[in-house]
Amino acid sequence: MFLKACQCGIQYASVTRSKTRLELSFTRTSFYNMPCEAVAHFLILYGSQRGQAQSIAEEICQQAAEHGFTADISCLSNQDKYNVDSEIRPVVFVVSTTGDGDPPDTAQKFVRKIKSKSLPHDHFSHLRYALLALGDTNYANFCNGGKTIDSRLQQLGAKHFYATGHADDGTGLEVVVDPWIEGLWDSLKKTFSSMATSNQQGTDLSDCTQDNNSKNASNQEKNKPDLEVDLHLLKLSEVDSQKEKTITSDSSDAETLSTVLVASLKQSVPPLSESALNVPALPASYLEVLLEQASTEGETVPSKDGYHEVSISKAVQLTQHDSVKTAILLELDILEQNIAYQPGDSFDILCPNRASEVEELLLKLDLQMQKNCAVQVNLLKNCSKKAAKVPLHIPQNASLQFILTWCLEIRSTPKKAFVRALADFTQNGSEKRRLLELCSKEGSADYNSFVRDANVCLLDLLRAFPSCLPPLSLLFEHLPKLQPRAYSAASSSLQHPGKVHFVFNVVEFPARPEHPARTGLCTGWLADHVSSILRPLGTVPASEHLGTSALPKVHVRPRPSSIFHLPADLSVPVIMVGPGTGVAPFVGFLQQREKEREVNQEATFGETWLFFGCRHKDKDFLFREELERFAHNGTLSHLIVCFSRDEPDAQGIVNRPTYVQHNLRLHAKNVASILLKDKGCLYVCGDAKNMAKDVNDTLLEIIGNELQVDKLDAMKTVAGFREEKRYLQDIWS
Ligand code: FAD
């Protein structure tokens, strides 16, 4: 069996090479008449916040060579590396979106530059470009980072040579990204041909967008696979071995036979298991990792980047022990560090990867003995990856254990390029075939079900494919930076000087065939970290008896919001919608209001409405006493609550409101009047996936009914609220 797999491997390699050669010679012929150097050369510019846009841009750069092009690649922030003001090559932009529909930090300077009012209307008339925008439909202003750049380039005369792609992280970026990249090559070829022709004829290129729009879809079908990998022999050998396994384990058991045919992370079924595969090109490796028995000096991550180490002075479980979710309030002591914040701001918290997962990863990589070695990371000499650099989030001379614990998101879902690369370090033929299937075009549905939607991480793959033994350099190349988690301040420093509170639910992911049960990385860690001082609501804090040195510590960094604050004008009415932990910033708002009311007794205060919801009144009504106090002393004009899982009350109200949007509907007249007549503000905080969308739909309905207009006009009015910063969201998924 092993021999068979090896023979198949040889077959696979030779087919791949010959197809690639064919493709290249075709490409060269089609560009024969063009001025060679300038012709097939284009530029890729990316604006990335968390590395997604960068890795897609790199993927495009990588694929370019296979299609007979060469590409330069640069981050938009490196303005000395490119000049779009005079760029004659086609440019491909890949731009993500962050915050409230903003371009990523790395693109901010570029955006400011192209937005300059002094630029003439034809400033970019020389520019031919394509743009891939990344976003998430769970958030407002989908793909707005890319759209902002796109519309400004258009205003200044730039022309699309290929229709803009809008990829949605909510449903899976690859759903749009993969076909978009596939269609790009044809458009580039045509663009270069037209450029060559217009150069010869002295004519100008026209906008290719329309052409692309209609042809984009057919491209995906028509395009010949660039790297058609014929794995039939490998597949047949697997089927043989599978048959053998079934027969030897229990040939009479019909159930065994049928379970063999169910697809899973580890195994495919026909037609995929019998299909030839189009796999992505193997990403070029570019890092060299050296492990030395030396002192580890680089272990300073938390103190960098504006983080402060602070004590957790209080930890209170806000939910009852039998509640479905566990919500915990933490109080951080920020007096010494002099950290300032306002209600509406958030804090970034650094959390480590789970020690047990780091240990298991070291074991799987056969590196436990080297975990305390100092790590040196260098660029490979002569690496072919464009703009390759050593990732900044991997410090030099830190120990391997430290890097795996604090620097890399080892729980991230491996992208197809990573799966592709892992396949090359997998000994077993069947396992290798399955990994290639998962990253192939034909195996997209399996990748979505068993990797992406199952939130599989590297460790899950190494468990499922035990003969996979990747080198450390591959992990460093593909695992993204471990990101801090943000939490909204749930307090006002007017009421709690020197302290900040926040509240979180311990995220729980049940066991699935692809991975064991686990808790969210940060929330699970925090819950464990504060267990020694955690107390139920209403009991005396154990931490009061502990000295500061005995308190658990955490690294935090303020994350100020530019807009999510109470209006400066105290008379403006506000509506707050915050079910579950979404109530956090509103507790801060109301603490601030309570103090302002004490200090400014003469002032006129606008009405305050809070729409809160949870499952059970007696189990998870967060901040109940405090909110009732606000309602009692007039800080809160209206506290409107609903409980989605409580039985109807004794009076048997059947159509009681279940979720916050139902209560909004019940108070539609007031909501409409506050927004339309009193120019009030609506704040929404919490779950992005369901709640924020439902609230938005309800708002459209309320405004539509009140103004007697259709949905489109209601949407325009609501968009106006957003622009006036009167409809503000702080939502997360
Ligand atoms: P992670 O391990 O990061 O998992 C979270 C997500 O990863 C899941 O939602 C899911 O999409 C995916 N995921 C990973 N593994 C699996 C799996 N096995 N199965 C299914 N899905 C999986 N949260 C609060 O509780 N309170 C707040 O006040 C708060 N404020 C925020 C403010 C801002 C500005 C932002 C951006 C976020 C805020 N959040 C808040 C969310 C918070 O930052 C974290 O995202 C959240 O606590 C989960 O973190 P985690 O590390 O525990 O989960």
Side-chain angles (χ1 to χ4, degrees), residues 139 346 351 409 411 453-456 484-489 502-510 512 515-516 518-524 559 581-582 584-585 685 689 730-733:
Y139 295 84
S346 308
C351 63
E409 189 97 40
R411 282 265 191 102
D453 299 347
N455 286 284
V456 153
R485 274 38 173 188
Y487 294 92
S488 311
F502 66 86
V503 61
F504 64 90
N505 277 325
V506 181
V507 176
E508 287 180 24
F509 305 119
R512 316 179 32 124
H515 63 69
R518 50 192 174 219
T519 50
L521 188 68
C522 185
T523 54
R559 184 180 157 135
T581 49
C685 180
K689 281 217 167 91
D730 183 9
I731 54 176
W732 60 79
S733 48

Side-chain angles (χ1 to χ4, degrees), residues 92-165:
V92 174
F93 292 89
V94 185
V95 185
S96 65
T97 301
T98 189
D100 201 27
D102 304 318
D105 295 345
T106 51
Q108 295 282 3
K109 229 168 149 183
F110 175 76
V111 171
R112 275 200 299 277
K113 195 170 160 194
I114 62 170
K115 276 195 166 171
S116 163
K117 295 216 167 82
S118 63
L119 296 177
H121 70 280
D122 60 349
H123 185 72
F124 285 128
S125 57
H126 59 281
L127 192 68
R128 300 289 171 271
Y129 75 102
L131 192 143
L132 178 58
L134 312 184
D136 187 330
T137 42
N138 289 311
Y139 295 84
N141 301 320
F142 173 60
C143 280
N144 205 47
K147 285 177 184 170
T148 304
I149 293 179
D150 206 6
S151 63
R152 185 60 180 152
L153 292 177
Q154 293 283 304
Q155 275 172 6
L156 297 179
K159 299 273 190 301
H160 289 131
F161 69 83
Y162 182 47
T164 297

Side-chain angles (χ1 to χ4, degrees), residues 290-345:
L290 303 172
L291 297 174
E292 283 171 26
Q293 301 284 355
S295 71
T296 48
E297 298 153 1
E299 301 183 356
T300 53
V301 174
S303 60
K304 278 198 206 154
D305 301 333
Y307 285 96
H308 304 270
E309 191 182 32
V310 300
S311 299
I312 303 176
S313 42
K314 213 191 269 179
V316 184
Q317 182 160 331
L318 299 183
T319 44
Q320 296 299 317
H321 65 279
D322 55 348
S323 167
V324 174
K325 290 185 180 173
T326 303
I328 295 178
L329 175 129
L330 298 186
E331 180 185 82
L332 309 185
D333 194 339
I334 54 172
L335 186 67
E336 262 180 44
Q337 290 75 12
N338 211 8
I339 302 172
Y341 73 96
Q342 288 183 61
D345 289 347

